[in-house]
Amino acid sequence: MQGPAVFMDISLEDQAQELRKYFKSLGAEISEEKSPKGIEDDLHKIVGVCDVCFKENNEADIDAILNSIVSIMVSIPLERGENLILAFSQRLTKAPGPKLGMVALQSLWRLYNNLESNSPLRYHVYYHVIELAARVGSVGEVFKGVDQLKREFTTCPPSNEQMQKLYRLLHQVLKDQNSELASKVMIELLGTYTDENASYAREDAIKCIVTALADPNTFLLDPLLALKPVRFLEGELIHDLLNIFVSEKLSSYQAFYKNHKEFVQSQGLNHEQNIKKMRILSFMQMAESNPEITFDEIISELQIEEKNVEAFIIEVLKTRLVRARMDQAARCVRVASTMHRTFGRAQWAQLRDVLLAWRANVHNAHESMKSVAAAQIEYNVQQQKP
């Protein structure tokens, strides 16, 4: 079998012909001769059989072949660019096995980075990059977060529908690997809907709520209630459940679960994990108005056995949502500060009072320093008099 050619110092047309010969040698249904229609037609035929190279055993050779195709693809104006790039991307996403999948991913990523920043084709390649990266467990290598994603398409933003499709894909591949990032992606997806079409985002809104509730590291859920598609769920059980996690106590969740056990389970939510999360949220709420919380109050309010109280407090402190000190001798927790579960008018008023007090303290300190400085100056003047 003919080995892969080395494409150096030859024209794109000759490079395409060498690729034709190479794929023909692997048994692909392709002619070795150049197309009379030009190099774009050559490229169309080559892309149609490019996945035949996965029969090779040498990953470096496959990488070189795919790199050659990419180099031609980004070097010529493409009248049928979208169809060619879509076909190439789709074939590479079917690379068998993780090793060849990684080779194909590198080639797709190379194509993406070599397309003009204002090319609308970048979106299509990026979508398939995510698909392939998910297969080989490398999503984190290409997707760093929502802000980075937006920067990728600053010059040529995709349509709203395209971004919704991409956000759904990202949520799907992230939800079992990075639930916190998956929640951020889903919130971004819901933010793409308007008052006019928010009612069509019902399934996305439910997924967003469930992902946030299931994420062991997401505790501030209040912002979800402001999302238009979530507001359309008012009156439904999933919206009632979200409200419990936003502002109510453990007892409210237990009453909801007692009446709607099958619903909670149908959403894929784990009851024990829900209890664990609601205990932390309820403790945060207790800490908002109580600078000192006794062990007995924790045992009663959060339904925790006495032997588990200290372990629970340590777990809460690890979240850094509450800053406190445990006094084992006095059997209490002394709260320094806590994150608020909701941030409404009352919290803004409290923040205003804190800032006003801080400004007054700074002003008083400044005036005191002025008095001290004036006294020192007067003293120095008196000392210099004969």
Side-chain angles (χ1 to χ4, degrees):
M1 181 178 65
Q2 178 180 334
V6 178
F7 304 114
M8 297 179 64
D9 299 324
I10 60 175
S11 67
L12 293 178
E13 290 76 10
D14 289 339
Q15 187 172 325
Q17 186 171 26
E18 292 299 321
L19 282 168
R20 279 177 167 273
K21 292 177 180 178
Y22 168 72
F23 284 115
K24 180 70 172 179
S25 72
L26 293 180
E29 294 184 7
I30 187 172
S31 167
E32 293 185 1
E33 303 303 320
K34 297 178 185 179
S35 170
K37 298 179 182 179
I39 191 169
E40 185 174 337
D41 192 60
D42 283 324
L43 190 55
H44 179 76
K45 298 294 193 302
I46 290 167
V47 165
V49 298
C50 67
D51 52 339
V52 174
C53 71
F54 295 134
K55 293 180 180 180
E56 287 277 43
N57 295 320
N58 191 315
E59 293 162 26
D61 289 349
I62 296 172
D63 184 60
I65 291 300
L66 296 178
N67 187 38
S68 296
I69 297 174
V70 169
S71 68
I72 299 175
M73 203 172 282
V74 299
S75 298
I76 61 173
L78 300 173
E79 293 182 5
R80 296 178 294 172
E82 183 171 344
N83 290 335
L84 273 172
I85 287 178
L86 280 175
F88 182 66
S89 300
Q90 288 167 356
R91 287 184 180 275
L92 262 58
T93 56
K94 297 175 182 177
K99 290 184 178 180
L100 292 181
M102 184 59 72
V103 172
L105 176 61
Q106 290 169 348
S107 295
L108 267 187
W109 191 236
R110 192 177 296 125
L111 172 60
Y112 172 79
N113 284 298
N114 279 280
L115 289 171
E116 294 291 335
S117 61
N118 61 352
S119 171
L121 300 177
R122 295 178 81 242
Y123 166 82
H124 300 290
V125 178
Y126 189 88
Y127 187 90
H128 287 95
V129 162
I130 296 298
E131 280 188 320
L132 188 49
R135 274 190 47 212
V136 299
S138 297
V139 174
E141 298 298 317
V142 293
F143 177 71
K144 306 295 184 181
V146 172
D147 291 338
Q148 172 259 345
L149 177 62
K150 290 179 178 178
R151 288 194 296 271
E152 293 289 341
F153 300 114
T154 302
T155 310
C156 186
S159 68
N160 208 41
E161 291 73 18
Q162 286 177 322
M163 287 307 297
Q164 288 172 354
K165 181 181 178 183
L166 179 56
Y167 284 141
R168 288 192 190 98
L169 173 64
L170 284 166
H171 178 264
Q172 181 66 30
V173 302
L174 288 168
K175 65 179 184 179
D176 296 326
Q177 302 174 20
N178 189 331
S179 55
E180 183 177 3
L181 190 53
S183 295
K184 291 179 180 178
V185 167
M186 183 54 75
I187 290 172
E188 199 67 31
L189 168 60
L190 295 187
T192 64
Y193 289 94
T194 64
D195 287 329
E196 288 72 26
N197 61 13
S199 59
Y200 296 104
R202 185 176 184 278
E203 293 303 317
D204 289 332
I206 291 173
K207 285 180 183 178
C208 179
I209 294 172
V210 170
T211 301
L213 297 185
D215 181 10
N217 299 312
T218 299
F219 294 95
L220 302 180
L221 301 159
D222 189 40
L224 295 183
L225 293 174
L227 295 170
K228 294 180 179 68
V230 172
R231 293 208 301 265
F232 270 90
L233 297 174
E234 287 182 17
E236 297 191 29
L237 288 176
I238 190 66
H239 196 274
D240 294 342
L241 183 59
L242 173 61
N243 272 307
I244 290 173
F245 275 81
V246 167
S247 59
E248 298 187 34
K249 296 182 178 180
L250 174 63
S251 56
S252 298
Y253 169 73
Q254 289 175 319
F256 181 92
Y257 183 75
K258 181 179 179 181
N259 294 324
H260 307 291
K261 180 178 180 179
E262 291 183 0
F263 171 77
V264 173
Q265 293 174 342
S266 71
Q267 298 302 313
L269 293 168
N270 183 291
H271 176 59
E272 293 304 319
Q273 291 299 318
N274 290 347
I275 290 286
K276 181 179 179 180
K277 191 170 197 173
M278 280 302 304
R279 281 187 173 129
I280 294 175
L281 291 170
S282 299
F283 183 86
M284 289 169 59
Q285 194 164 351
M286 293 169 68
E288 287 180 20
S289 55
N290 297 293
E292 185 173 296
I293 305 172
T294 66
F295 282 14
D296 289 337
E297 288 173 324
I298 294 173
I299 292 169
S300 173
E301 190 75 22
L302 306 183
Q303 301 175 31
I304 296 176
E305 293 183 25
E306 185 167 355
K307 65 180 180 180
N308 296 325
V309 170
E310 293 184 10
F312 169 75
I313 295 169
I314 292 171
E315 186 176 357
V316 171
L317 297 180
K318 284 181 179 178
T319 67
R320 299 185 178 181
L321 297 168
V322 179
R323 291 178 58 228
R325 182 173 60 85
M326 179 167 51
D327 188 335
Q328 294 160 305
R331 288 172 49 80
C332 71
V333 179
R334 305 187 196 283
V335 179
S337 65
T338 182
M339 187 80 73
H340 289 269
R341 290 175 66 183
T342 60
F343 208 88
R345 184 180 296 274
Q347 286 71 37
W348 280 114
Q350 183 180 358
L351 178 60
R352 180 198 60 193
D353 293 341
V354 170
L355 291 175
L356 288 174
W358 174 79
R359 186 174 68 175
N361 290 335
V362 170
H363 176 74
N364 291 337
H366 181 66
E367 291 300 315
S368 297
M369 290 300 295
K370 284 171 64 177
S371 299
V372 171
Q376 183 65 44
I377 292 170
E378 184 178 351
Y379 173 78
N380 291 339
V381 170
Q382 293 294 330
Q383 289 296 107
Q384 292 173 3
K385 288 182 179 180

